[in-house]
Amino acid sequence: MPIPTSGNFRILVGLVASKNGDYQAGTVGATCGNVLPVMSDAAIAAYLNANGGGLGAVNSRWTDEIFCDPVCFGIFPIAGLHKINFWPATDEFIFNPGGSEEIVDILTAEMPNGFLCTALQLFWRGTARKTSSGVDIIDFKLSYDNTVVHSDATPNLNNSSITTSSTAIIPAGLHRGLVSALGLLSFEATHVEATVVPTSCGDFDTSQSQFQINQFYFQGDYILWSSNIAINPSTVFPDDIVTITADGDLDQITDLVARYRDDDGILSAEIPLTMISQSATQIVFAIPQSAFGGAKILISGTGNGVEFSGQTNLGSLNAGLVDGSGLYTLVPGKRDDTYYDRSVNPPTTVDVAIPTPRAKTGYFNA
Amino acid sequence: MPKTTNKGGEFITHINPVRLRVVGEGNLIATLYSLDDVDSMELPALVMTPTNKRFGEYLSNFQSLQIAIEFKVLQKDEWFKIHTVTPYVKPVAASYPR
């Protein structure tokens, strides 16, 4: 994900150690466009204690675990449910590029089940050092199956130490392991190779030059993988109870809506649905009469904007009763007809008089 | 005045009061109709109440060979429940002038 250049955003801090020892996420306010400040652990802990509630200590790696909140991202895709997350890859690597390429395996971390990665980036931060004079540049290369997908070169290391960082976007074609290994952010060959090679000839030796990578982490977008979501029953009638089940993360969904496509092929406005219950693996709701305007009812969920953003399809239902308006439902004591107006969102109802109740006698005479 | 033997409704009938046991809400509209609804007369509305110790009553002045009475309400939420209808009628002629 690119760093935004305008607008507002928040910094999300992940893997922050909490008082009870668990890792929790927190947020820190910031103004978009500013250079991200490198705050001290104490400062971020103080902020989270004051605003995030109960976070007592901060992992020293927090500065590498910030990323932009998609809530404020104007460029963030609005279609599809996304989760911005990161999966730490490793703690530290030290390269001693003394004439041969160093290769490391970047270990990957677990990703929640039920989601499919659609974009993946590798972030790294490292320090290049050289203790002798002379022109030396270290080239960091990220490759996969012998194909270089990213390359960064440091400035001249002339007897100096340079801290550098960069981002490599891993091409979609290299996500090969993801579909077959849902739930595990892994690669087909089990590793990504990171190599560091000197780009100049001469006095590059292990005693004088070193490239130390302090952090790797992945950041990705992913969508709910529809085949892992079940919606039941498949055919519904007004006020039926519907259950959506998935492997997890359904508790990230805040708003649930239904749409139908009418006989003219026009997609209806969003019809808000009220969730009866919600957990990470299940959402239960009732399908209202107003959703019955076509043969199919589409159910969509909206992310809570913290980890998810955008809207994604959660499944479709077959309408057992198409366009129920105009059909009578007998309601004891009700003295009028109710018409549904679906041209507005949310749909409204209008009570109108029943057409002239009447009674007529037979013909009689004296 | 012909004798009221009434065999098959041959006599032209005059109807004056129509008394009925009715409860409801709103205005009950009563209309008298001749055969095939060729002629009709809408009577002044009867204001109904959910309970009533008296019968409702319409006054009319309508003649026809045979007569039917229609009751209806026109407004939303109006309702009626009629238990008994008693029309007061008498024969006035054996036939129309030829």
Side-chain angles (χ1 to χ4, degrees):
Chain A
M1 170 168 289
I3 300 298
T5 56
S6 62
N8 297 316
F9 69 96
R10 291 184 300 172
I11 301 171
L12 301 185
V13 181
L15 291 183
V16 177
S18 66
K19 284 178 178 176
N20 58 13
D22 295 329
Y23 285 110
Q24 298 182 10
T27 60
V28 178
T31 302
C32 190
N34 288 352
V35 176
L36 300 182
V38 180
M39 299 170 65
S40 67
D41 287 358
I44 193 70
Y47 184 92
L48 293 176
N49 273 325
N51 301 280
L55 298 177
V58 177
N59 189 298
S60 60
R61 296 174 52 213
W62 75 271
T63 51
D64 285 293
E65 294 161 353
I66 60 175
F67 51 90
C68 293
D69 184 350
V71 171
C72 311
F73 250 117
I75 61 173
F76 201 78
I78 58 171
L81 187 62
H82 294 253
K83 184 174 184 178
I84 307 302
N85 209 340
F86 58 90
W87 300 279
T90 185
D91 288 331
E92 184 174 289
F93 295 103
I94 299 176
F95 297 89
N96 296 301
S100 63
E101 295 184 354
E102 295 280 345
I103 299 176
V104 298
D105 286 348
I106 301 173
L107 303 178
T108 55
E110 187 175 350
M111 190 172 71
N113 286 321
F115 294 87
L116 180 64
C117 185
T118 58
L120 193 62
Q121 290 175 292
L122 172 66
F123 290 77
W124 59 271
R125 176 186 291 268
T127 303
R129 297 186 182 90
K130 184 170 182 293
T131 56
S132 62
S133 59
V135 177
D136 271 315
I137 296 172
I138 292 180
D139 190 12
F140 173 85
K141 291 181 179 178
L142 177 68
S143 62
Y144 181 86
D145 283 357
N146 298 318
T147 301
V148 175
V149 296
H150 184 77
S151 178
D152 271 314
T154 68
N156 180 20
L157 293 174
N158 187 5
N159 195 18
S160 62
S161 175
I162 297 174
T163 297
T164 181
S165 62
S166 187
T167 304
I169 298 174
I170 300 177
L174 300 184
H175 301 170
R176 279 175 281 185
L178 296 175
V179 173
S180 58
L182 270 180
L184 188 65
L185 183 62
S186 61
F187 296 88
E188 191 176 57
T190 70
H191 71 272
V192 173
E193 294 177 355
T195 62
V196 178
V197 296
T199 56
S200 63
C201 301
D203 59 350
F204 219 116
D205 63 67
T206 57
S207 63
Q208 294 180 330
S209 301
Q210 187 180 74
F211 187 81
Q212 178 175 338
I213 294 179
N214 306 109
Q215 287 102 17
F216 280 120
Y217 63 94
F218 291 100
Q219 175 174 307
D221 302 344
Y222 63 95
I223 61 174
L224 284 165
W225 201 43
S226 60
S227 61
N228 266 21
I229 298 178
I231 184 166
N232 288 295
S234 58
T235 300
V236 294
F237 294 88
D239 300 324
D240 272 3
I241 302 299
V242 180
T243 301
I244 300 174
T245 55
D247 292 337
D249 282 347
L250 288 180
D251 54 348
Q252 301 290 335
I253 291 173
T254 56
D255 296 313
L256 207 60
V257 298
R259 291 186 188 90
Y260 62 85
R261 197 176 294 280
D262 64 18
D263 294 339
D264 297 326
I266 298 174
L267 200 61
S268 74
E270 293 181 354
I271 300 163
L273 302 174
T274 301
M275 286 187 267
I276 298 173
S277 66
Q278 182 181 24
S279 68
T281 58
Q282 188 181 73
I283 291 177
V284 178
F285 64 96
I287 188 77
Q289 166 90 48
S290 55
F292 288 78
K296 285 280 188 182
I297 303 171
L298 308 176
I299 307 298
S300 300
T302 301
N304 60 9
V306 177
E307 290 189 324
F308 289 108
S309 180
Q311 193 176 74
T312 191
N313 177 33
L314 296 175
S316 64
L317 302 167
N318 296 314
L321 176 65
V322 176
D323 197 0
S325 63
L327 300 179
Y328 274 99
T329 299
L330 298 179
V331 179
K334 187 173 173 59
R335 300 174 193 165
D336 47 41
D337 281 345
T338 300
Y339 289 167
Y340 283 84
D341 182 2
R342 296 194 180 93
S343 63
V344 296
N345 183 21
T348 59
T349 58
V350 179
D351 287 339
V352 298
I354 295 172
T356 314
R358 59 186 289 275
K360 191 176 183 182
T361 68
Y363 289 97
F364 57 88
N365 68 347
Chain B
M1 179 67 67
K3 190 176 180 181
T4 56
T5 52
N6 189 10
K7 296 179 179 178
E10 297 90 347
F11 301 125
I12 297 169
T13 299
H14 177 260
I15 180 170
N16 195 338
V18 177
R19 185 170 294 167
L20 66 164
R21 172 60 180 152
V22 60
V23 292
E25 288 180 89
N27 296 315
L28 184 64
I29 309 298
T31 306
L32 303 174
Y33 289 99
S34 67
L35 272 177
D36 285 342
D37 299 348
V38 174
D39 298 324
S40 66
M41 172 184 283
E42 183 174 311
L43 305 179
L46 180 69
V47 179
M48 299 179 289
T49 56
T51 57
N52 197 338
K53 66 180 181 181
R54 297 181 178 179
F55 281 14
E57 188 173 274
Y58 294 97
L59 293 179
S60 65
N61 184 12
F62 188 73
Q63 290 186 14
S64 178
L65 194 59
Q66 290 194 333
I67 299 170
I69 311 174
E70 179 195 61
F71 301 98
K72 63 184 177 182
V73 290
L74 301 178
Q75 302 300 318
K76 179 171 171 286
D77 288 341
E78 289 184 337
W79 63 279
F80 62 87
K81 187 184 296 181
I82 296 174
H83 183 269
T84 304
V85 179
T86 307
Y88 289 86
V89 298
K90 67 176 182 178
V92 294
S95 66
Y96 289 101
R98 296 180 184 275

